[in-house]
């Protein structure tokens, strides 16, 4: 098979790249995915566009995250027009709460560096938090409100990106695993897959946690999986319309009434099993924020693998020493956030 652009990996990053290449008419675009489209980290994610809740200081990475977040309203509108799929961009904002003196100290530091960097953030007293969100634990000490930390329904985003990519002429092949890359005169010219050879003018590696399994690439960059588990409630009454963080995790209200609570962080290889230990940690995180969840059942749970390149920032570059392979991987906690950029 021959193509102009070969994209390896059908998660949110590979799909966003494929869609844009297709829409810009950059030639024939082929995306190959070892399993099914969007069924790994992109499926397990919470969909928070948590620029201010999940970055720790100002600088280039914060600016890149902010830029990508700002692209979401237009992306949501375009995807709805192109595919009829609403990715449920929810712009109610995010609350970050403190429940201990140590939490208060961290929150104060976060407020200081964010105001210093000109970010939109409000410091709330406990009374202000509770008047806005009466179901939150009354032992709350205070909070920060980030009006521009939004969320999307990541599973709809995957569906919409894939539909838009296909409508733009992208060929998506599922169940196709890369065994090695093909090099000619030191330049990468394609991939050997379990379905045969695919030659391309440009090859993009966007295989998330599996990127370092491409033979040879692990010598360039070690991208490892960091497991995150999530639990789900369907509370009998709606608890909030905002994403709520504490230092121990987060709660995400979905339009369909579910409340997702995440997430653990473990270096345990490619193990995606759910565990009783994680279940207990997440339940404690959930009930610290909303004590009424103590009496609610957990209706679903899952684990996913964040691709971690040893630093919060992803690797987005053409690797000259590896035949010009274009890499877009290691997005760690921010794949959904960074997909538009
Ligand atoms: N960005 C949320 C997480 O990785 O848990």
């Amino acid at each position: 098979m021959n193509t102009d652009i070969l994209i390896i990996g059908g998660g949110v990053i590979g799909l966003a790249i494929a869609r844009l290449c297709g829409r810009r008419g950059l030639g024939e675009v082929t995306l190959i995915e070892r399993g099914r489209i969007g069924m790994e980290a992109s499926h397990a994610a919470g969909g928070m566009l948590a620029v201010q809740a999940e970055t720790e200081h100002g600088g280039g990475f914060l600016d890149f995250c902010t830029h990508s977040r700002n692209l979401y309203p237009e992306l949501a509108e375009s995807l709805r027009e192109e595919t009829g799929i609403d990715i449920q961009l929810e712009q109610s904002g995010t609350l970050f709460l403190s429940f201990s003196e140590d939490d208060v100290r961290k929150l104060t530091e976060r407020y200081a560096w964010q105001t210093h960097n000109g970010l939109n953030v409000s410091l709330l007293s406990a009374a202000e938090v509770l008047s806005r969100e009466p179901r939150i634990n009354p032992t709350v000490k205070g909070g920060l409100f980030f009006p521009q930390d939004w969320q999307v329904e990541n599973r709809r985003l995957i569906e919409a990106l894939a539909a838009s990519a296909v409508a733009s002429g992208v060929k998506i092949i599922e169940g196709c695993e890369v065994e090695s890359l093909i090099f000619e005169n030191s330049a990468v010219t394609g991939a050997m897959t379990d379905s045969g050879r695919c030659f391309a003018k440009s090859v993009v590696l966007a295989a998330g946690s599996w990127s370092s399994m491409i033979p040879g690439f692990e010598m360039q960059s070690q991208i490892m999986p960091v497991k995150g588990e999530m639990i789900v409630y369907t509370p009998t009454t709606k608890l909030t319309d905002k994403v709520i963080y504490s230092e121990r995790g987060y709660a995400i209200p979905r339009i369909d009434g579910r409340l997702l609570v995440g997430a653990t962080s473990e270096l345990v290889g490619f193990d995606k099993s759910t565990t009783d230990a994680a279940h207990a940690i997440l339940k404690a995180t959930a009930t610290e924020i909303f004590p009424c969840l103590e009496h609610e059942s957990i209706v679903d749970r899952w684990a996913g693998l964040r691709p971690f390149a040893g630093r919060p920032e992803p690797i987005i570059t053409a690797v000259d020493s590896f035949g010009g392979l274009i890499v877009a991987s290691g997005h760690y906690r921010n794949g959904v956030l960074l997909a538009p950029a």
Side-chain angles (χ1 to χ4, degrees):
M1 181 174 63
N2 286 291
T3 188
D4 291 310
I5 301 172
L6 174 66
I7 296 164
I8 303 169
V12 69
I13 298 299
L15 287 168
I17 294 168
R19 168 180 177 269
L20 211 57
C21 291
R23 284 173 63 77
R24 289 193 179 168
L26 300 185
E28 193 178 327
V29 183
T30 305
L31 182 151
I32 54 177
E33 159 58 44
R34 60 190 277 283
R36 282 174 52 214
I37 288 297
M39 288 307 288
E40 294 291 352
S42 308
H43 186 80
M48 297 91 78
L49 310 179
V51 178
Q52 288 170 250
E54 295 223 8
T55 53
E56 302 304 329
H57 50 77
F61 183 53
L62 171 75
D63 295 345
F64 186 50
C65 290
T66 305
H67 166 66
S68 195
R69 188 269 322 280
N70 290 344
L71 295 173
Y72 257 104
E74 196 182 319
L75 176 66
E77 192 49 35
S78 301
L79 289 173
R80 200 186 53 72
E81 278 169 16
E82 290 156 29
T83 69
I85 298 169
D86 175 7
I87 64 168
Q88 297 179 346
L89 173 64
E90 178 53 61
Q91 295 176 287
S92 311
T94 291
L95 265 176
F96 201 128
L97 305 178
S98 57
F99 290 99
S100 68
E101 289 310 323
D102 194 44
D103 286 0
V104 171
R105 184 183 55 74
K106 289 180 178 153
L107 214 94
T108 309
E109 284 171 13
R110 189 174 286 278
Y111 181 70
W113 78 255
Q114 296 202 351
T115 47
H116 179 75
N117 281 275
L119 299 176
N120 191 348
V121 49
S122 317
L123 185 60
L124 305 179
S125 66
E128 286 167 328
V129 169
L130 292 169
S131 79
R132 289 180 184 213
E133 299 290 333
R135 295 182 188 277
I136 278 174
N137 191 340
T139 67
V140 70
K141 293 200 174 304
L144 297 181
F145 179 56
F146 310 126
Q148 288 168 291
D149 269 17
W150 306 323
Q151 65 151 306
V152 292
E153 175 31 286
N154 40 293
R155 296 178 186 179
R156 283 176 170 253
L157 173 66
I158 287 294
E159 201 188 333
L161 287 173
S164 168
V166 169
S168 315
V170 173
K171 186 173 173 190
I172 294 179
I173 306 173
E174 297 182 302
C176 178
E177 191 151 8
V178 172
E179 292 167 351
S180 61
L181 296 179
I182 301 168
F183 292 88
E184 279 168 39
N185 300 325
S186 309
V188 66
T189 53
M192 172 67 88
T193 77
D194 56 5
S195 317
R197 285 170 206 261
C198 180
F199 291 100
K201 292 180 187 147
S202 299
V203 181
V204 180
L205 179 60
S209 289
W210 287 264
S211 300
S212 289
M213 293 176 91
I214 304 289
F217 183 66
E218 78 282 6
M219 304 300 289
Q220 307 287 324
S221 198
Q222 188 62 54
I223 296 174
M224 55 201 142
V226 177
K227 177 181 173 183
E229 281 193 50
M230 195 99 94
I231 57 174
V232 182
Y233 296 87
T234 45
T236 36
T237 47
K238 187 176 173 187
L239 301 180
T240 182
D241 65 349
K242 295 177 184 55
V243 175
I244 314 269
Y245 272 75
S246 76
E247 290 293 341
R248 287 152 291 286
Y250 45 75
I252 312 160
R254 290 288 205 233
I255 288 170
D256 63 9
R258 289 178 305 147
L259 185 78
L260 280 50
V261 177
T264 54
S265 252
E266 282 184 283
L267 272 171
V268 288
F270 286 88
D271 172 13
K272 286 194 295 173
S273 58
T274 55
T275 66
D276 290 346
H279 187 273
I281 290 169
L282 293 171
K283 195 169 171 191
T285 300
T287 53
E288 181 181 51
I289 297 172
F290 293 115
C292 57
L293 289 173
E294 189 63 54
H295 310 292
E296 300 276 357
S297 308
I298 291 163
V299 298
D300 199 2
R301 58 200 277 201
W302 60 77
L305 302 173
R306 307 174 182 93
F308 182 51
R311 57 188 203 183
E313 302 87 2
I315 299 171
I316 306 173
T317 189
V319 186
D320 291 339
S321 57
F322 207 60
L325 176 72
I326 298 164
V327 179
S329 188
H331 291 76
Y332 192 36
R333 304 182 69 97
N334 300 300
V336 174
L337 169 62
L338 294 176

